[in-house]
Amino acid sequence: MTLASALGRLRAIDPRARVAFASVLVAVIIFGGVVASFGRVPQTALFATPLHPEQLQEIEERLAAWNVPFTPLADNVTVESRRRNELLLRLSLAGVPHAHLTSEDEALSAIGALTPQSVIDEQEVAGREGDIAAALRDVAGVQDARVIVAPAKASEFADERGSAATASVRLRLSPGIRMTRQTVTGIRAFVAAAVPGLAAGHVTILDDRGVALDDAANAAESDAGGLQNALQSALDDAFGEGVTIVRVRSDANRTSTAVFVDTAHAGDLLAVRDLAAATVAFDARRGDALAVQAVDFARPPTARKDVWWLLYGIAVPLLPVIVCVAGALVACRMAAPSIVNAIRSFGERVRVSQARREAPDMPPARVRAMLEEEPPHAAAAVISALPTATAAAVLELYPPHERAAIVKRMHRATSPLIPDPGELLRNA
């Protein structure tokens, strides 16, 4: 079928049929839009205030690690509205995002040609503090850091004494983390090297409890922490993570070591004891203590995510859409016969009207050919509009049984009080 013939058939349809078809098409489009709008999961911005680039990167990395769907924006992310409060709580517990730290480049970017030197110096110090704190955040075991630098001050008068540069560092450590002596010394040296004129001895480091991390006072504890980390790492490499738990305490004279082994690996107790004794340099004559014991580790039950769980996770968000689409298909299936019959009736009425207008000017043979595919009631409607002689000639061209059916409909007795239902449908 060509485009021209399709357009010709469309023009031949009764105007009321075209209006009805267009109305149905518009209704289907509107219904599809409503279904799509109800099926879409509402989204909302996760944070009420804009985020800085490094904060946005932290949020995106954490949400991706949690397998949470999100849409990144220039200074925020959007998530499902129903999960916003839950995600804010989880991020808060994880300490994400960190507070924005002003870098030295950012602090000096707003300085102009007329800015006083004192303001420039203050901005430079503030930016350097931000750079140092950002670097300390990357140290293993450090969740956050805050740095305050007091620059050196020269004496302005002969009877005054100048002050050397000092720095204070406050570290928020991860749960269960203890800073070793080597780590504290390294942080102190790093901060001193980042500030001109600052000596390592003038750097004070506090932990999240407000306790100073002093090398001498924490030497024994730091050594114990180093031994504990070394032994735990060796056991994890040898037997796998989660198989053993190590605790080490040390004082000036002796070291106490306890190793807990999962009962599933109770047969490895002797090997664990030998490895622990070699790692902590166990010496019984010095008073050291070493205990290795099998313990039944408590493990939370792991939820099994099988195929049904995956199907449930996929089907639940799509359930409203599936219900609406299924309802629409059922409604269309139920209404399809009526719509087809209505379209067929309109088409038949158009053909009959056109034939009744053209038939009186045609010879009988052509009228018969035009009515070849028409049912008896349609042929009767056309032939009854012909002159008597032409109608008789056309009827003679039909086989007897078809002619009888047409004549029956041409002479059907109808009551003026109770019209024939079929005629009512055809004349509607």
Side-chain angles (χ1 to χ4, degrees):
M1 180 185 296
T2 62
L3 179 60
S5 60
L7 293 176
R9 291 191 176 184
L10 183 61
R11 295 191 192 97
I13 298 177
D14 187 76
R16 287 182 293 179
R18 291 200 298 266
V19 171
F21 179 76
S23 301
V24 172
L25 181 61
V26 172
V28 170
I29 294 175
I30 294 175
F31 181 77
V34 172
V35 170
S37 62
F38 277 107
R40 181 183 178 186
V41 179
Q43 301 280 320
T44 186
L46 183 57
F47 290 90
T49 58
L51 300 175
H52 291 86
E54 72 277 5
Q55 294 175 319
L56 186 61
Q57 182 179 359
E58 281 186 305
I59 296 300
E60 292 178 356
E61 291 176 354
R62 190 57 60 97
L63 294 180
W66 292 342
N67 293 325
V68 175
F70 67 93
T71 302
L73 303 177
D75 54 4
N76 211 327
V77 295
T78 60
V79 296
E80 296 181 16
S81 300
R82 60 184 179 86
R83 299 195 61 184
R84 180 175 181 268
N85 293 336
E86 170 204 346
L87 294 176
L88 288 176
L89 178 59
R90 292 182 64 182
L91 292 171
S92 177
L93 295 176
V96 177
H98 289 92
H100 173 64
L101 297 174
T102 303
S103 64
E104 190 169 354
D105 292 339
E106 184 179 354
L108 297 178
S109 62
I111 293 177
L114 301 179
T115 305
Q117 184 61 40
S118 59
V119 176
I120 296 177
D121 294 340
E122 291 178 0
Q123 293 293 326
E124 185 177 0
V125 171
R128 189 161 300 171
E129 292 172 349
D131 289 339
I132 296 173
L136 293 179
R137 285 177 176 176
D138 296 331
V139 176
V142 176
Q143 288 187 346
D144 203 356
R146 175 72 185 276
V147 178
I148 301 175
V149 175
K153 182 178 181 182
S155 58
E156 298 180 358
F157 301 96
D159 57 347
E160 290 183 349
R161 296 181 58 183
S163 59
T166 59
S168 300
V169 179
R170 186 179 185 277
L171 302 177
R172 180 157 61 89
L173 305 178
S174 301
I177 295 297
R178 293 179 181 273
M179 283 290 176
T180 64
R181 178 173 55 183
Q182 293 81 2
T183 303
V184 174
T185 302
I187 292 175
R188 183 173 283 111
F190 173 79
V191 175
V195 180
L198 177 61
H202 292 166
V203 179
T204 302
I205 303 177
L206 305 178
D207 64 5
D208 47 351
R209 300 168 298 171
V211 179
L213 300 178
D214 183 73
D215 291 346
N218 295 283
E221 185 177 355
S222 299
D223 290 340
L227 290 175
Q228 177 174 306
N229 293 336
L231 178 56
Q232 185 70 71
S233 176
L235 293 175
D236 289 345
D237 292 341
F239 302 99
E241 294 184 1
V243 176
T244 59
I245 299 176
V246 177
R247 293 295 181 265
V248 178
R249 293 182 62 85
S250 178
D251 54 30
N253 300 318
R254 59 192 297 271
T255 301
S256 300
T257 305
V259 181
F260 306 95
V261 183
D262 191 2
T263 51
H265 295 264
D268 300 325
L269 289 180
L270 183 59
V272 171
R273 181 179 180 83
D274 293 340
L275 180 58
T279 302
V280 301
F282 173 72
D283 188 354
R285 294 172 299 178
R286 189 177 56 195
D288 292 349
L290 175 60
V292 179
Q293 186 174 353
V295 179
D296 189 9
F297 286 4
R299 293 185 176 87
T302 303
R304 183 181 177 185
K305 299 180 179 180
D306 52 14
V307 176
W308 293 110
W309 183 89
L310 295 176
L311 292 177
Y312 175 80
I314 296 174
V316 168
L318 297 178
L319 189 58
V321 179
I322 295 174
V323 172
C324 293
V325 172
L329 293 177
V330 171
C332 292
R333 180 67 181 86
M334 296 177 62
S338 300
I339 296 175
V340 171
N341 291 335
I343 295 176
R344 185 179 300 165
S345 176
F346 278 118
E348 184 178 301
R349 289 185 59 191
V350 170
R351 293 195 303 272
V352 170
S353 299
Q354 184 177 3
R356 293 183 68 175
R357 290 194 303 268
E358 298 175 356
D361 300 330
M362 295 181 181
R366 188 173 177 183
V367 174
R368 174 66 181 87
M370 183 177 60
L371 300 177
E372 180 68 29
E373 302 296 334
E374 298 296 338
H377 65 270
V382 175
I383 295 175
S384 62
L386 298 175
T388 304
T390 306
V394 172
L395 289 173
E396 289 296 331
L397 298 176
Y398 278 93
H401 64 282
E402 293 185 16
R403 182 169 58 248
I406 295 173
V407 172
K408 180 180 179 181
R409 283 165 174 76
M410 291 175 64
H411 299 285
R412 176 178 295 175
T414 59
S415 171
L417 297 178
I418 306 178
D420 182 77
E423 294 295 330
L424 287 176
L425 291 177
R426 286 194 295 273
N427 298 328

